[in-house]
Amino acid sequence: MEMIIAGLLDAISPASLMFVLLGVAIGVLIGAIPGINGPMAIALFIPVTYYMSPLTAIGFLVGLNKGAFFGGAVSAVLLRTPGTPEAAATAWDGYPLTQKGKGEKALRMALYSSVAGDFISTVVLIVIAAPLAAVALFMGPAEIFALISLALTIIAGIGTNSINRGLMAAAFGILIGLIGTEPVTALPRLTFDIYQLGSGLSLIPVAIGLLAFSEILLQLEKFTVKGGAKQAAIVFSSKLEDRLLSFREFFKNIKTLLRGSLIGIGVGAMPGLGAPVASFMSYDQAMKRSKSKEEFGKGSLEGIGASESANSAVVGASLIPLFVLGIPGNLAVAMLMGAFMIHGMQPGPLMFKENAQLMYGIYGSLLLASLFLLLIGRFGLRYFCKAVDIPGVILYPIVVFTCVMGAYLGKSSMFDVGVMLLFGFIGYYMRKFDYSYVAFLIGFILAPEWERALQQVVIISEYDTFMFFQRPVAMGLMALTLFVIVRTFWNNIKDGRKKQLEEEEEVATAAAAVGEHKGD
Amino acid sequence: MTRIKRDSIAYLVIVGFSILMLTWGIPTYTPAYPGYGASPALVSNVAVGIMLFMACLSLLRIGVALYMNKPIPAEEREFPEDLEEGSSFTQVGRVKLYHLANIMIPSVLLLLVIDYIGYMLTAFAFLMVIQHVIGSRKWFQSVVLSIILTGVLYIVMRYGFGVPVPGPQIF
């Protein structure tokens, strides 16, 4: 109990409050800018947190992530350009409302739904993470090795249409993650005699390069290749009923919000699925169960609520696998995991034992971030809307230069800037060729832990090849890994055949139509 | 170039890289087996092995499709200018080399010269070039933005975080 009170008191210390608030505000602002998302924002701002206490740093980054999730809805609603992938479903109903001058009402619905989903999932995280972590403590190296193998397999499917390319990207990430000092011999490995690689590649330059710099390279194509993009002016109605959201309008959709939150929690708690899945799933369910289906896609507040409650609920729930098992379920959490490690903590079940006070402080910060999101959104909505108007010629040089200096900040080393540029270049090619940089990054982060678990298994088992057969949980997880691989390949083959049959049918139909036409 | 051709080249590059790593990179730059635990080369060999296997599998799939004269899906036949397909994380399309060079060359130059001419000049010149590259022709605005950004980041780094900026120090 003392720990809980001390942790919560830490969370409400002035510094912590200020940085959580700042994180949420920056997150909303950044999320509102099309092309910049939560994980990218975390990558850019992790270097800034080097100089903060662990609680302040994590609180700031969590606030940033939560803010960015809502911020994504701003550009989705106002421009039909989702700031983040998970806000795509929000755009379907948000933008038609903007066209009717009701953009502010749509944004208010998005805000309240986001806060509701986020708050519910944070409460679920607080209630279930610690008991689950206590169970997870019984897991040994064999189970951890099997679990990371499973996570890597599931994650290989994210961010690409091809499991082959996903696995290649994850394997490449693992290879790059192994550069540095080998844990058993303590000798350099895969350093190619470059002394700066002796301690391995830092997460920050790699993440900034892959997430931020490569994204900017893509975004800038619009300017250097297409000569810039113009957007229509946004007009808000001055009528009060078009601007404000009544209690009746909000509570009419409460069932949808609760369903969306539960879907978000379920999806977020499972590694590899991510917020876009939750958002689309919830939207689909809301549409199927709605009494006014015909309004979906034309400006339905229910549609916005479904999408936003689900994608925001993923934020809290996705921390469950991180806190319980030490495995990041999505990109934003992978970045947070990196931040934990930078501040000297290894996410996982032991955190509740070793850093209990900090964990309760983080819980406090998570709840505060929800509250701040509500306040900032409620009173600053109109100002954040202006973020979508920042001209690219001003915004992008700032982001490019921030990438450069962010990479430099960690070790005050220009070598890291070079690493950032290299991974920006690799990331650009990965995106263009449909290789998952998400799988790469998670492979990169998990590689050392995976290898450590393997080394422990080999040493403890004294080279017993059948070690896994003596550990039922580990065996079950390895069997599940194999099942996931086989099932994914099978689905790929099935989808390919289906596509091919459809094409052949189309060709046959077209040929028949031409034949009939000639006959006439 | 069709997409299938481009993908095949990418797979061949991965095969080449994997073979190079397995035959030279990993054996040369991995410590010898110390006599206990797993070999230091085990995980790296497994990772590269997965890359090699998957790339070969993909090449085999393409080869079989071509050999059996199966119709190739439309999206793999032609290579459109810009595809909206791929997952939400990727943006499959043509690599715009000219664009890439426009951004990468100034960035690499910044990396090379900052140690010699210092942060202030390099940062200012870099920002001017980047703004020009992305189409800004308002010189006054570009100069003002470059000066402000260079100055703000200098102050934040030097006095906010206490980190020396790269290159020779002016202040």
Side-chain angles (χ1 to χ4, degrees), chain B residues 130-169:
Chain B
I130 291 291
Q131 286 179 85
H132 182 78
V133 161
I134 65 173
S136 171
R137 296 293 179 268
K138 294 174 183 168
W139 288 101
F140 182 70
Q141 180 190 297
S142 296
V143 170
V144 169
L145 183 70
S146 302
I147 291 174
I148 291 176
L149 199 56
T150 305
V152 166
L153 274 173
Y154 178 83
I155 292 166
V156 168
M157 292 187 62
R158 193 91 176 88
Y159 301 106
F161 300 130
V163 175
V165 290
Q169 307 294 308

Side-chain angles (χ1 to χ4, degrees), chain A residues 189-190 217 224 408 432 455 499, chain B residues 6 29 38 40 75 99 164:
Chain A
R189 173 177 55 187
L190 298 176
L217 283 175
T224 58
Y408 172 81
K432 286 285 184 183
Q455 288 284 9
K499 229 184 216 176
Chain B
R6 194 182 78 149
Y29 292 101
E75 73 270 19
H99 156 77

Side-chain angles (χ1 to χ4, degrees), chain A residues 135-347:
Chain A
V135 176
L137 277 175
F138 291 103
M139 290 182 11
E143 285 79 11
I144 291 172
F145 176 78
L147 195 70
I148 295 177
S149 307
L150 177 64
L152 285 171
T153 316
I154 297 172
I155 285 158
I158 315 176
T160 170
N161 285 332
S162 152
I163 184 79
N164 283 22
R165 290 197 284 263
L167 281 171
M168 279 187 251
F172 186 46
I174 292 170
L175 183 72
I176 300 296
L178 293 174
I179 293 173
T181 306
E182 201 276 323
V184 174
T185 58
L187 290 168
R189 173 177 55 187
L190 298 176
T191 56
F192 297 90
D193 294 335
I194 301 167
Y195 77 91
Q196 288 100 330
L197 290 178
S199 54
L201 286 169
S202 308
L203 172 67
I204 299 307
V206 174
I208 292 179
L210 275 177
L211 292 176
F213 197 72
S214 67
E215 178 66 39
I216 294 304
L217 283 175
L218 283 175
Q219 297 283 333
L220 289 179
E221 282 184 353
K222 281 184 261 177
F223 294 88
T224 58
V225 179
K226 293 173 189 163
K230 280 187 179 172
Q231 60 195 41
I234 301 154
V235 181
F236 289 119
S237 164
S238 53
K239 286 182 196 165
L240 220 56
E241 69 263 27
D242 285 347
R243 288 179 50 203
L244 303 179
L245 186 77
S246 68
F247 276 109
R248 217 185 116 257
E249 282 172 317
F250 179 74
F251 281 104
K252 210 175 99 183
N253 298 310
I254 198 82
K255 248 168 102 177
T256 306
L257 299 192
L258 287 175
R259 194 190 312 115
S261 304
L262 289 179
I263 290 173
I265 291 166
V267 168
M270 281 190 277
L273 292 179
V277 176
S279 175
F280 289 117
M281 212 187 258
S282 169
Y283 188 88
D284 178 56
Q285 285 300 313
M287 192 161 69
K288 279 180 184 155
R289 289 160 197 261
S290 174
K291 286 175 189 162
S292 39
K293 287 188 184 83
E294 66 287 348
E295 279 181 31
F296 276 74
K298 293 173 190 161
S300 160
L301 288 175
E302 198 178 352
I304 297 174
S307 158
E308 282 301 304
S309 59
N311 73 39
S312 293
V314 169
V315 180
S318 59
L319 293 172
I320 296 172
L322 183 72
F323 289 169
V324 173
L325 304 167
I327 287 176
N330 60 36
L331 200 53
V333 178
M335 297 313 303
L336 280 176
M337 183 175 174
F340 272 104
M341 288 154 85
I342 284 165
H343 286 276
M345 293 169 282
Q346 181 64 42

